[in-house]
Amino acid sequence: MAFIDTIYARAKADKKTIVLPESMDKRTFAAAEKILKEGIANLIIIGTPEEIAENSKGYDITGATIVDPFNDPNKQKYIDKFVELRAKKGVTPEMAKEQMEKDYMYYACLMCKCGDADGAVSGATGNTIRPALQLLKTKPGISSVSGFFLMEVPNCELGENGLFVFADCAVNPDLDSEKLAEVAALSADSFKSFVGAEPKVAMLSFSSYGSAKHERVTMVADAVKIANEKYPDIAVDGELQLDAALVPEVAALKAPNSKVAGKANTLVFPSLEAGNIGYKLVQRLAKAGAYGPVLQGLSMPVNDLSRGCFAEDIVGVVAMTAVQAQDAAK
């Protein structure tokens, strides 16, 4: 069974309510049809009657709850919550109303915050992270949000039989040692949650155990020290070159006695550039499944989409969001 099929099965076993705010995009409705038909999640779609009618043509979205952001009986509740959350930033009821009507992702986040939905998926046409950070914020003790891809590499014995978490591939252009250590901890939790196996986290670099000297190498080495001090229960090691992280024979030469080298299944890249390029290389050259980006570190499950995503991608991210919601409810 492919990885995504196990995620679909988990989502169906305990259905959660996910909001899709991008009713101006036909891909939303193509995805919604499959999600509803297969029972992956309960759906709320935000949009005016005109937007829904125009963009849902040809798709069966029977069973979805449609919320008109201009005529929703719960709207005042969401406006009040918006003002409560952003009062220190000077947000007034009028400003809240205008923002919610202009950008439905704000509406979606408020539905989550008020307990009317379990998560949201957006990003095919608009911004996801800013509304989520403003209204939902990060988990206690977490300084920033990061994004990972769950990679499924066919015919591969490395990692967890070809399954890997790659991070951060989507969010942070400015990483330092503290943030890298935090990404390592969040990524380990994500790997364990989605794959169900023990994470082995490699902090990647162009150096293994000091084989090269550079401030970028030092940043990663310092992140490993921080991670081992703050998260002693997680297997984290580095800095490691990619071959040392994955291949046992190389690990024996470059990082003997490492608890991670040669066995890594969770790869933390030293920069957003490296992570983004790395996952796309594996996706395109190895024909790997790349599920995500999935956000980690937010107080509630909200996930971003690529502007170039297909409807099938939306289905997968909704299922992963539902699984995150299941974990959050435990």
Side-chain angles (χ1 to χ4, degrees):
M1 181 183 289
F3 164 77
I4 197 62
D5 293 326
T6 68
I7 297 300
Y8 290 158
R10 288 172 64 183
K12 293 175 188 179
D14 179 15
K15 285 171 68 174
K16 297 299 180 184
T17 299
I18 308 300
V19 189
L20 299 177
E22 294 178 310
S23 57
M24 65 296 297
D25 194 298
K26 292 183 182 297
R27 290 171 293 180
T28 294
F29 298 95
E33 181 179 64
K34 179 170 181 176
I35 291 163
L36 293 166
K37 182 179 180 181
E38 298 191 9
I40 292 168
N42 301 313
L43 291 182
I44 297 171
I45 302 175
I46 301 175
T48 65
E50 294 76 17
E51 289 166 332
I52 301 296
E54 173 64 25
N55 295 308
S56 68
K57 287 178 182 176
Y59 299 108
D60 181 3
I61 56 168
T62 304
T65 298
I66 307 300
V67 171
D68 179 353
F70 293 89
N71 296 290
D72 178 14
N74 288 318
K75 186 173 183 177
Q76 189 59 49
K77 174 176 71 172
Y78 301 138
I79 290 173
D80 293 344
K81 178 58 71 173
F82 198 149
V83 172
E84 174 192 329
L85 294 169
R86 302 290 289 170
K88 291 182 179 178
K89 297 295 183 180
V91 173
T92 65
E94 293 74 22
M95 293 166 65
K97 177 176 178 293
E98 180 182 3
Q99 188 68 59
M100 291 159 57
E101 292 174 350
K102 183 172 69 174
D103 186 342
Y104 298 169
M105 187 55 187
Y106 282 87
Y107 214 104
C109 288
L110 289 161
M111 296 186 83
C112 294
K113 190 70 176 180
C114 290
D116 295 330
D118 301 303
V121 172
S122 179
T125 62
N127 188 20
T128 300
I129 296 175
R130 182 178 298 144
L133 283 174
Q134 289 182 0
L135 298 174
L136 301 177
K137 305 190 184 305
T138 57
K139 293 178 180 178
I142 300 299
S143 67
S144 62
V145 175
S146 54
F148 72 90
F149 279 82
L150 199 303
M151 305 297 296
E152 183 177 26
V153 184
N155 305 313
C156 177
E157 296 179 357
L158 303 178
E160 191 67 28
N161 295 316
L163 289 174
F164 302 86
V165 157
F166 284 19
D168 177 3
C169 302
V171 180
N172 282 295
D174 299 308
L175 289 168
D176 56 24
S177 297
E178 289 281 352
K179 284 186 178 180
L180 273 175
E182 189 171 86
V183 170
L186 290 169
S187 299
D189 287 344
S190 295
F191 184 89
K192 191 167 188 177
S193 171
F194 282 107
V195 179
E198 284 302 312
K200 299 178 182 68
V201 185
M203 307 288 274
L204 300 179
S205 178
F206 58 86
S207 167
S208 293
Y209 280 16
S211 63
K213 305 297 182 186
H214 191 273
E215 61 184 16
R216 300 289 298 176
V217 174
T218 302
M219 180 187 74
V220 177
D222 288 346
V224 175
K225 293 175 186 175
I226 294 167
N228 283 322
E229 290 171 1
K230 293 182 70 173
Y231 316 108
D233 295 334
I234 300 173
V236 181
D237 202 9
E239 83 286 3
L240 291 169
Q241 292 163 288
L242 182 67
D243 54 357
L246 296 181
V247 183
E249 294 82 1
V250 178
L253 297 171
K254 294 186 175 182
N257 305 316
S258 171
K259 58 188 176 183
V260 167
K263 302 182 285 289
N265 50 32
T266 303
L267 305 181
V268 176
F269 291 81
S271 69
L272 184 61
E273 294 96 329
N276 192 269
I277 292 167
Y279 99 79
K280 289 181 178 178
L281 275 171
V282 174
Q283 179 187 30
R284 300 303 178 184
L285 298 185
K287 296 180 170 51
Y291 305 106
V294 180
L295 301 181
Q296 51 188 9
L298 285 167
S299 65
M300 293 190 73
V302 169
N303 282 309
D304 201 7
L305 295 166
S306 165
R307 298 294 173 97
C309 69
F310 296 101
E312 192 68 29
D313 299 322
I314 299 175
V315 176
V317 174
V318 166
M320 294 181 80
T321 306
V323 170
Q324 285 182 309
Q326 292 171 358
D327 289 344
K330 290 178 182 177

